[in-house]
C-alpha cells in the first residue's frame, strides 16, 4: 500500500455542464460522466494548500494542463470524490495514488451536528468558510456560453470551494484514524476501478420474469377478488375495496401528510397500521394488503434498469457504489438506487435448486474470464457479539462448536427435532429468533416479519415464541437493561466517561474500540423515554438545549437499540479490519456487503487465496478475545454461485 505520509495532497473541484434533466441529482455518477452531453467547464486545484489554480478550456486543453501533475504520488481530496475520481480516471485517464472524500469523511463526527453533508452546511458548522452560489447561475450553460467576466467569476467560486474543501479535509483528518481514511480510498476505488462484471442477458431475463410474475398475480387477484391493477394503484379505489373487506369492525388506515398536514391514506410499506393488516384474521384483507405492497414496490425493477444502463456505459463492468459510514453505526450504505449491500440472498423454491425464489440479481454479477468470485461471509457475527457481550454461555459455546443453533432453537419452539433439510420453514423461524430477537424485537414486529415471509402465526403464538427466547437466554434481556441504564445515565451527562468491555459511554456517544463514535446528538429524556436528533436533524450550531418544538423530530432509543447499534458497530470494525489486512496483502475486495467481503480472484489460485482469507477473517478479535469467530467462504463464476 502507498505510504500516505509521502503523498502530495491535491484538492480538486471539477465543474461540468448540467441542466434540468442532465444532472447528478437525477442520474447515477457513471451514467452522468459517460453521457455524450458531458462537458468540463473548468477545474480548480491546489497542491498541499498552495494558492489554488483555475483552468478552463476544451477537454484536450484541460488534459494537457492536468497531465503535468504527478498523479501516482497524489492523494486527491474532493467533496464527493466519487465524481471527481470518475472524471479523472474515466474521462482524463489519470489514476491518483489515493482519494479522500470530505463528503463522506465528515459523516462520523460532523454531519450529525451540522445537519447535513453539503459543503455549505459543513463549512458553516465548522466556521471554516462559506460556500458560494454561482454554480446556480451556470445551469444549462456550455463553456462557450460564458463571457470572460462570467468565467472569471465561476473560477473564483470554484477556487473558493477548493479552499474550503482543503480546510475541511484537514479538520476531518485530525479526528479520523488513518485506517478509516484508507477505507474511504478503497471504497471510491471499488467504484472507479471495477473488476466485477454484469451479465446483461441475465438482467433482461429477470426483468421479463418480473413482468410475467406480476401478470400472473394480477390474474389471480382478478379471478379471486375482481380487483385490477388500476384498483390497486388508485388510492381512493383501493381504500373503498379494503374498507369493504374490513367491514364495520375495521377501518382503513390513515395518517397526517408531511407535505401539507392533511389526512391521507396510510398505504406505504413503512406505515405500521397498514402492515399490521398482513396478519389480519380475514385472508381477503391479507391478500389485498399484500398485493398493494407488492405492486407498489419497484425496487428490483429499478435496480435492473440501472444495472443495464451501467452495463451499457461501462462496457459490462459493475461500478460498486458504496457510501462510507452511511449508517448511524458506521456501516456502509448501498447507493445510486442499486444498493449492492442488500441484493437479496439466494433462496430456492425446491431442494433440487432448479427454481429460484430470491437472489436472481446475484447471478447477474459475474467474474471476468479466468477469474472467480470469492464470497467470504462472517457467520452470524452480530448474534455472536450479542451472546458474548451478555455472557450467554450456552449460545457462545454452541457457536464455538459450530452447532446448528437455528434448528436447535426451532426444535424448542415446535416441540420436535427440527432438521435443516426436512424442516426449512421451522428452521427459518429459529434463525429469525436467534438473529433478530436479541435486540428486543416485540411480538407484534416478529409476527409481521413472519407474515412478510409467508408464515402466518397468531398473536398468542408470536408472544409464546418471543418470550421463549427471552426466558431461555435470560442474560440477553439483562444486557438490554444494562445498556438502557448506561444510555440513560452516561450519554445524557456532559461529564460522563464510563469504560466497559472496550466501549466508552460518554456524553452523546458510545466510543467503539477503534476510537470511532456512535453519536446520539442532543440525547435527552422525553415523555417517551430517550430521544436524540437524527443523522440529518436540525443543525446544532450553538448547542442550545432542545425545545418543545424539537421533540417531534427526535428518534427514540432504548437499551435494545443501543445494543443493536453497538453490535453493528463492532461487527463493522471486525469486517473492515479484515478488509484492510487483506488489501495490504494484495487481496483487494471488489465488494463489501455488511458482514461479507467479495473478491475477484484468478481461478488458478482460488483455493490458496481462500485459505488466507479464512485465516484473516477468523483471527482473534483483540477487543473481544472470547468472541467465537467463523466464516463461510464459497466461490464460483457468479456471485450467486459463490453463495
Amino acid at each position: 500500500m502507498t505510504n500516505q505520509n509521502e503523498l502530495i495532497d491535491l484538492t480538486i473541484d471539477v465543474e461540468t455542464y448540467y441542466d434540468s434533466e442532465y444532472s447528478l441529482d437525477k442520474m447515477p455518477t457513471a451514467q452522468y460522466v459517460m453521457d455524450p452531453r458531458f462537458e468540463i467547464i473548468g477545474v480548480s486545484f491546489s497542491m498541499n494548500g498552495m494558492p489554488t489554480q483555475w483552468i478552463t478550456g476544451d477537454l484536450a486543453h484541460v488534459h494537457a494542463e492536468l497531465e503535468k501533475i504527478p498523479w501516482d504520488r497524489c492523494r486527491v481530496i474532493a467533496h464527493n470524490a466519487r465524481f471527481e475520481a470518475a472524471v479523472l480516471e474515466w474521462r482524463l485517464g489519470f489514476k491518483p495514488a489515493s482519494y479522500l472524500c470530505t463528503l463522506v469523511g465528515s459523516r462520523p463526527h460532523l454531519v450529525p451536528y451540522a445537519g447535513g453533508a453539503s459543503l455549505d452546511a459543513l463549512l458553516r458548522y465548522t466556521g471554516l468558510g462559506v460556500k458560494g452560489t454561482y454554480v446556480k447561475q451556470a445551469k444549462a450553460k456550455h463553456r462557450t456560453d460564458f463571457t470572460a467576466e462570467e468565467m472569471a467569476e465561476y473560477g473564483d467560486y470554484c477556487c473558493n470551494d477548493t479552499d474550503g474543501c482543503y480546510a475541511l479535509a484537514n479538520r476531518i483528518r485530525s479526528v479520523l484514524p488513518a485506517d478509516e481514511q484508507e477505507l474511504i480510498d478503497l471504497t471510491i476505488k471499488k467504484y472507479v476501478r471495477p473488476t466485477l462484471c454484469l451479465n446483461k442477458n441475465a438482467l433482461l431475463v429477470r426483468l421479463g420474469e418480473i413482468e410475467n410474475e406480476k401478470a400472473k398475480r394480477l390474474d389471480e387477484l382478478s379471478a379471486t377478488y375482481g380487483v385490477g391493477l388500476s384498483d390497486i394503484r388508485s388510492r381512493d379505489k383501493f381504500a373503498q375495496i379494503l374498507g369493504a373487506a374490513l367491514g364495520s369492525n375495521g377501518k382503513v388506515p390513515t395518517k397526517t401528510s408531511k407535505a401539507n398536514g392533511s389526512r391521507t391514506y396510510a398505504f406505504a410499506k413503512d406505515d405500521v397500521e397498514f402492515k399490521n393488516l398482513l396478519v389480519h384474521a380475514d385472508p381477503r384483507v391479507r391478500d389485498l394488503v399484500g398485493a398493494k405492497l407488492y405492486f407498489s414496490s419497484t425496487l428490483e425493477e429499478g435496480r435492473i434498469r440501472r444495472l443495464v444502463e451501467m452495463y451499457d456505459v461501462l462496457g459490462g463492468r459493475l461500478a460498486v457504489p458504496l457510501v462510507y459510514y452511511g449508517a448511524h453505526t458506521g456501516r456502509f450504505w448501498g447507493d445510486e438506487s442499486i444498493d449492492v449491500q442488500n441484493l437479496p440472498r439466494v433462496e430456492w423454491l425446491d431442494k433440487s435448486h432448479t427454481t429460484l425464489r430470491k437472489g436472481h440479481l446475484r447471478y447477474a454479477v459475474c467474474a471476468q474470464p479466468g477469474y472467480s468470485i470469492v464470497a467470504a461471509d462472517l457467520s452470524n457475527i452480530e448474534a455472536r457479539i450479542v451472546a458474548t457481550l451478555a455472557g450467554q454461555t450456552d449460545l457462545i459455546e454452541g457457536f464455538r462448536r459450530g452447532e446448528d443453533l437455528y434448528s436447535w432453537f426451532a426444535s424448542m419452539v415446535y416441540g420436535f427435532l427440527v432438521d435443516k433439510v426436512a424442516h426449512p420453514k421451522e428452521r427459518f423461524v429459529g434463525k429469525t429468533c436467534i438473529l433478530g430477537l436479541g435486540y428486543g424485537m416485540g411480538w407484534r414486529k416478529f409476527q409481521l416479519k413472519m407474515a412478510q415471509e409467508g408464515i402466518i402465526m397468531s398473536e398468542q403464538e408470536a408472544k409464546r415464541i418471543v418470550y421463549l427466547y427471552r426466558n431461555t437466554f435470560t442474560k440477553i434481556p439483562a444486557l438490554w437493561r444494562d445498556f438502557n441504564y448506561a444510555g440513560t445515565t452516561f450519554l445524557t451527562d456532559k461529564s460522563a466517561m464510563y469504560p466497559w468491555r472496550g466501549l466508552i459511554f460518554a456524553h452523546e456517544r458510545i466510543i467503539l474500540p477503534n476510537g470511532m463514535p456512535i453519536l446520539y446528538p442532543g440525547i435527552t429524556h422525553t415523555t417517551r423515554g430517550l430521544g436524540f436528533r437524527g443523522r440529518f436533524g436540525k443543525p446544532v450550531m450553538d448547542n442550545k438545549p432542545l425545545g418543545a418544538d424539537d421533540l417531534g423530530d427526535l428518534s427514540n432509543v432504548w437499551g435494545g437499540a443501543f445494543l443493536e447499534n453497538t453490535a453493528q458497530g463492532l461487527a463493522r470494525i471486525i469486517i473492515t479490519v479484515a478488509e484492510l489486512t487483506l488489501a495490504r496483502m494484495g487481496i483487494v475486495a471488489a465488494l463489501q456487503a455488511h458482514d461479507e467481503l467479495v473478491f475477484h480472484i484468478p481461478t488458478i489460485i482460488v483455493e490458496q487465496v481462500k485459505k488466507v482469507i479464512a485465516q484473516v477473517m477468523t483471527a482473534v478479535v483483540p477487543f473481544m478475545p472470547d468472541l467465537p469467530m467463523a466464516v463461510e467462504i464459497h466461490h464460483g463464476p457468479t456471485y450467486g454461485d459463490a453463495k
Side-chain angles (χ1 to χ4, degrees):
M1 304 292 289
T2 304
N3 187 337
Q4 300 293 305
N5 294 326
E6 297 176 355
L7 294 177
I8 300 167
D9 281 340
L10 189 136
T11 313
I12 191 167
D13 185 23
V14 179
E15 298 296 341
T16 58
Y17 171 82
Y18 76 101
D19 57 35
S20 298
E21 299 301 320
Y22 171 66
S23 73
L24 283 172
D25 290 336
K26 295 191 174 182
M27 301 172 68
T29 303
Q31 283 85 319
Y32 178 86
V33 171
M34 301 307 291
D35 192 278
R37 291 167 289 184
F38 179 82
E39 177 188 1
I40 294 177
I41 305 297
V43 178
S44 63
F45 63 93
S46 170
M47 301 180 73
N48 286 338
M50 298 296 287
T52 303
Q53 301 178 54
W54 164 255
I55 56 174
T56 182
D58 60 20
L59 190 64
H61 175 74
V62 171
H63 185 278
E65 290 296 312
L66 295 181
E67 194 174 26
K68 302 170 185 176
I69 295 171
W71 293 100
D72 61 339
R73 294 192 289 115
C74 285
R75 169 177 37 221
V76 164
I77 299 170
H79 202 71
N80 189 13
R82 182 194 297 167
F83 169 68
E84 266 76 15
V87 174
L88 290 173
E89 301 213 9
W90 299 345
R91 282 291 187 171
L92 296 168
F94 303 129
K95 291 188 179 297
S98 70
Y99 293 97
L100 178 63
C101 178
T102 53
L103 177 70
V104 298
S106 61
R107 294 183 72 88
H109 297 91
L110 301 178
V111 168
Y113 290 97
S118 69
L119 185 59
D120 180 60
L122 292 164
L123 290 178
R124 289 179 183 277
Y125 171 70
T126 57
L128 294 173
V130 177
K131 178 179 168 60
T133 60
Y134 189 83
V135 68
K136 297 177 181 178
Q137 300 177 46
K139 183 176 181 179
K141 292 181 71 171
H142 294 280
R143 182 177 55 84
T144 54
D145 295 332
F146 290 83
T147 66
E149 292 77 12
E150 289 172 337
M151 187 61 77
E153 190 172 355
Y154 203 3
D156 290 342
Y157 158 85
C158 193
C159 289
N160 179 68
D161 273 8
T162 299
D163 294 339
C165 182
Y166 182 67
L168 182 60
N170 286 333
R171 176 68 62 89
I172 289 169
R173 286 187 291 190
S174 70
V175 294
L176 200 62
D179 281 1
E180 296 294 320
Q181 296 178 44
E182 191 174 335
L183 283 171
I184 293 174
D185 175 52
L186 290 172
T187 303
I188 293 169
K189 287 175 180 173
K190 286 182 178 68
Y191 191 85
V192 295
R193 301 178 190 177
T195 54
L196 300 176
C197 296
L198 291 166
N199 183 328
K200 185 175 181 178
N201 183 63
L203 292 170
L204 295 177
V205 167
R206 178 55 186 158
L207 198 59
E209 289 174 349
I210 293 172
E211 292 171 353
N212 291 336
E213 288 170 8
K214 286 192 170 183
K216 180 180 178 181
R217 188 154 180 172
L218 276 175
D219 288 343
E220 293 172 350
L221 205 61
S222 177
T224 307
Y225 301 119
V227 173
L229 186 59
S230 60
D231 300 315
I232 294 292
R233 288 182 171 169
S234 167
R235 298 174 67 82
D236 291 334
K237 288 183 180 179
F238 181 76
Q240 291 178 357
I241 295 168
L242 181 60
L246 288 168
S248 58
N249 294 325
K251 64 176 184 177
V252 176
T254 60
K255 62 183 178 182
T256 301
S257 171
K258 292 182 179 180
N260 54 28
S262 63
R263 296 299 291 178
T264 185
Y265 295 116
F267 293 155
K269 63 179 181 179
D270 296 325
D271 291 326
V272 175
E273 190 178 352
F274 185 58
K275 284 173 61 176
N276 285 343
L277 296 177
L278 287 170
V279 292
H280 194 276
D282 189 337
R284 175 184 173 90
V285 173
R286 297 200 300 266
D287 289 347
L288 288 170
V289 172
K292 179 66 174 176
L293 292 171
Y294 176 78
F295 286 104
S296 297
S297 174
T298 58
L299 179 61
E300 187 176 11
E301 293 170 89
R303 275 177 171 169
I304 292 173
R305 291 189 170 90
R306 289 290 177 96
L307 288 170
V308 169
E309 291 173 1
M310 182 180 286
Y311 176 97
D312 291 338
V313 300
L314 293 183
R317 295 294 176 89
L318 170 61
V320 175
L322 295 178
V323 177
Y324 164 84
Y325 232 88
H328 177 224
T329 59
R331 283 194 160 185
F332 294 77
W333 266 351
D335 198 15
E336 299 195 345
S337 300
I338 296 174
D339 195 6
V340 290
Q341 288 269 288
N342 292 305
L343 294 181
R345 290 181 174 272
V346 172
E347 291 183 19
W348 299 92
L349 285 172
D350 53 353
K351 295 179 182 179
S352 60
H353 289 189
T354 56
T355 306
L356 274 173
R357 178 174 178 264
K358 290 182 179 179
H360 302 77
L361 295 190
R362 292 188 180 231
Y363 284 94
V365 178
C366 52
Q368 300 175 38
Y371 284 75
S372 293
I373 292 178
V374 176
D377 192 1
L378 290 174
S379 302
N380 30 63
I381 185 63
E382 286 187 43
R384 292 167 183 257
I385 289 172
V386 169
T388 303
L389 287 174
Q392 190 68 51
T393 308
D394 48 358
L395 273 180
I396 296 170
E397 292 307 312
F399 282 128
R400 196 182 309 280
R401 291 190 295 265
E403 296 174 0
D404 183 358
L405 295 180
Y406 305 154
S407 294
W408 171 66
F409 188 72
S411 300
M412 296 177 62
V413 170
Y414 291 102
F416 60 84
L417 189 63
V418 171
D419 177 79
K420 182 176 182 178
V421 176
H423 310 103
K425 184 179 78 171
E426 290 81 0
R427 185 179 182 272
F428 178 77
V429 172
K431 178 178 180 179
T432 303
C433 293
I434 294 295
L435 298 184
L437 297 185
Y439 299 135
M441 182 192 296
W443 67 266
R444 170 64 77 181
K445 188 173 181 181
F446 176 70
Q447 183 189 34
L448 287 174
K449 188 174 182 64
M450 292 294 91
Q452 289 172 316
E453 296 295 333
I455 301 172
I456 305 299
M457 58 177 61
S458 67
E459 175 181 326
Q460 292 74 17
E461 178 72 354
K463 286 181 177 179
R464 183 184 72 84
I465 294 172
V466 167
Y467 285 102
L468 175 63
Y469 175 93
R470 296 181 182 183
N471 292 328
T472 301
F473 308 119
T474 56
K475 290 189 176 182
I476 292 177
L479 186 61
W480 306 338
R481 294 189 289 272
D482 290 343
F483 266 87
N484 202 62
Y485 174 80
T488 302
T489 305
F490 303 117
L491 269 65
T492 58
D493 183 350
K494 290 185 177 181
S495 61
M497 188 71 72
Y498 179 73
W500 179 76
R501 293 217 56 171
L503 305 170
I504 297 176
F505 294 88
H507 184 234
E508 298 190 349
R509 67 196 60 210
I510 299 173
I511 303 173
L512 300 172
N514 63 347
M516 297 297 287
I518 301 176
L519 296 177
Y520 300 90
I523 189 166
T524 188
H525 298 276
T526 74
T527 55
R528 296 174 295 174
L530 287 174
F532 70 100
R533 289 182 173 97
R535 241 182 124 63
F536 293 97
K538 295 180 180 179
V540 188
M541 303 299 289
D542 48 15
N543 289 317
K544 287 193 298 187
L546 292 169
D549 292 340
D550 297 316
L551 298 183
D553 298 326
L554 298 185
S555 299
N556 292 331
V557 65
W558 70 288
F562 284 129
L563 173 59
E564 182 175 12
N565 293 166
T566 300
Q568 287 188 2
L570 294 175
R572 185 254 188 202
I573 294 174
I574 293 168
I575 196 71
T576 54
V577 166
E579 178 175 359
L580 287 169
T581 301
L582 289 163
R584 291 162 186 166
M585 298 168 65
I587 305 173
V588 181
L591 167 64
Q592 191 258 44
H594 298 312
D595 306 322
E596 178 183 64
L597 296 176
V598 180
F599 303 89
H600 188 252
I601 304 295
T603 303
I604 196 171
I605 60 170
V606 158
E607 293 303 330
Q608 297 96 308
V609 171
K610 284 169 65 176
K611 292 178 182 178
V612 176
I613 294 171
Q615 185 176 16
V616 170
M617 293 185 70
T618 56
V620 173
V621 177
F623 58 81
M624 197 178 286
D626 48 345
L627 177 68
M629 296 294 296
V631 65
E632 293 184 16
I633 306 179
H634 303 283
H635 75 277
T638 73
Y639 190 15
D641 292 308
K643 296 302 294 178

